[in-house]
Amino acid sequence: MSQTCIQAYHEMEERYARLVLKYHSNSQRNEILDAIEQSIAEHNMTPSITLSPAGESGECAVEFHDDYDKQSSTIFEFLIKKLGIASCEN
C-alpha cells in the first residue's frame, strides 16, 4: 500500500501569507516539524505555526501576518523543496 504524499496549499493577500501542509502519517508530521525547525534556523525568520493534534493525519499551517517584504516565499520554497512536494495548490 503506497503512502499519500504531503500536500501543500498556499494562500496570500496583501501582507498575509500562509502555507498549509497536509500530512497523512506521524512520520510525515515529524518530517514537516523538522523541516520547519531547519528553515527557522537557516533563515532567521519565525512564522506562526498551527499544528493539528498528533494523529495519523492532520495539517500544519505556516503563517506570516505582516509580510510586507514578501520574505515568506523564502521559507515556503525551502519547505516545499525539503519535503519533496511536487506542486502546491492555491
Side-chain angles (χ1 to χ4, degrees), residues 11-83:
E11 298 174 1
M12 183 187 299
E13 40 177 271
E14 292 190 28
R15 294 190 205 186
Y16 174 78
R18 175 170 118 156
L19 179 68
V20 177
L21 302 166
K22 186 173 182 177
Y23 57 87
H24 307 280
S25 69
N26 279 324
S27 64
Q28 287 180 340
R29 182 180 193 267
N30 292 334
E31 188 179 349
I32 290 169
L33 292 175
D34 289 343
I36 290 170
E37 272 187 38
Q38 288 178 13
S39 71
I40 289 171
E42 282 189 32
H43 300 98
N44 198 27
M45 295 167 52
T46 307
S48 297
I49 308 294
T50 306
L51 186 64
S52 296
E56 285 302 310
S57 65
E59 295 181 344
C60 177
V62 181
E63 298 176 294
F64 289 86
H65 295 279
D66 194 17
D67 191 24
Y68 181 76
D69 295 325
K70 306 294 183 208
Q71 295 179 357
S72 61
S73 62
T74 304
I75 296 272
F76 294 166
E77 287 176 24
F78 177 89
L79 292 173
I80 288 168
K81 287 178 184 175
K82 183 77 177 170
L83 296 169

